[in-house]
Amino acid sequence: MLSRLMQYWVYGGFLAGILTLVLLPELAWNWSMALVAVFLQLPIYMLHQYEEHDNDRFRLYVNRMFGEGHEVLSHPAVFVINVPGVWGVNAASFYLASCVSLGYGLIAVYLTLVNGVVHVVAAVALRSYNPGLGTAVFLFLPVGVFGLRELQQTGEVGWDHHLLGLLVAVAIHVAIIAYATINKRRLMRAK
């Protein structure tokens, strides 16, 4: 059962993202627009993950393009990156924003923005589509900029919140690249 969950998590996430967006007006009726903007990052990310991971597109793409046919990203790795690594980080960011300081919402916002920029830069560099590019351009960038603007307008966000949000987002992406690179080197040495 756990193996199937790790392999097909994206479909539950996609449906949960749609359901969350449908329920949002009732859930958020008394939230500030800044808190709504933080919350929106997660269901938007779930919709993006469907484009990115449906039919195992992203894992196969990375293994083909970066791993040169070797499995540098496995199903369990993709699950850990996306469920605790994206959903968990977004949930923590939302709770910190609602209970401690709105500035912590920038963790979720920068996670969305950094991922969107990575997709665009990769597409330009490789001159081709990569899984997730469409929703990165049409959802991530606008919703991320909206979140950035809404949080900044509250007056509760300092440079330290921006730095923390950016560092967390970049660190997650660097960790994924490092993980794939280490796996690639290990697999090449095993040849």
Side-chain angles (χ1 to χ4, degrees):
M1 188 181 341
L2 186 57
S3 173
R4 286 193 313 277
L5 184 61
M6 285 189 203
Q7 197 164 355
Y8 300 113
W9 62 271
V10 72
Y11 302 109
F14 176 69
L15 296 172
I18 291 171
L19 179 62
T20 303
L21 290 171
V22 169
L23 294 175
L24 186 59
E26 184 59 31
L27 294 172
W29 68 271
N30 65 343
W31 295 352
S32 68
M33 191 52 70
L35 196 56
V36 170
V38 173
F39 186 84
L40 271 175
Q41 305 305 310
L42 180 56
I44 293 303
Y45 220 117
M46 291 169 153
L47 300 182
H48 164 77
Q49 288 170 323
Y50 179 72
E51 179 198 0
E52 191 173 48
H53 295 282
D54 175 42
N55 204 25
D56 205 18
R57 276 193 287 258
F58 184 77
R59 190 184 70 83
L60 294 174
Y61 178 84
V62 169
N63 290 341
R64 184 179 69 251
M65 298 295 288
F66 180 75
E68 299 172 24
H70 296 93
E71 187 178 64
V72 296
L73 277 183
S74 63
H75 287 290
V78 169
F79 177 83
V80 169
I81 290 163
N82 285 282
V83 176
V86 171
W87 299 359
V89 168
N90 270 277
S93 175
F94 176 76
Y95 277 113
L96 287 168
S98 64
C99 298
V100 180
S101 168
L102 275 171
Y104 290 109
L106 286 172
I107 295 169
V109 170
Y110 277 115
L111 188 60
T112 300
L113 285 171
V114 167
N115 192 274
V117 169
V118 166
H119 276 285
V120 171
V121 168
V124 170
L126 298 172
R127 296 183 180 173
S128 67
Y129 169 83
N130 58 71
L133 178 63
T135 49
V137 170
F138 295 109
L139 292 179
F140 271 15
L141 297 179
V143 171
V145 168
F146 168 70
L148 199 57
R149 189 190 76 219
E150 289 300 320
L151 285 165
Q152 193 62 43
Q153 288 177 352
T154 66
E156 296 180 42
V157 175
W159 65 268
D160 53 335
H161 294 113
H162 284 281
L163 183 62
L164 176 66
L166 189 57
L167 285 176
V168 169
V170 169
I172 289 171
H173 285 83
V174 167
I176 296 165
I177 293 166
Y179 175 82
T181 301
I182 289 166
N183 277 346
K184 182 178 177 181
R185 288 183 184 156
R186 182 181 50 80
L187 291 166
M188 294 299 211
R189 271 185 267 144
K191 273 184 147 183

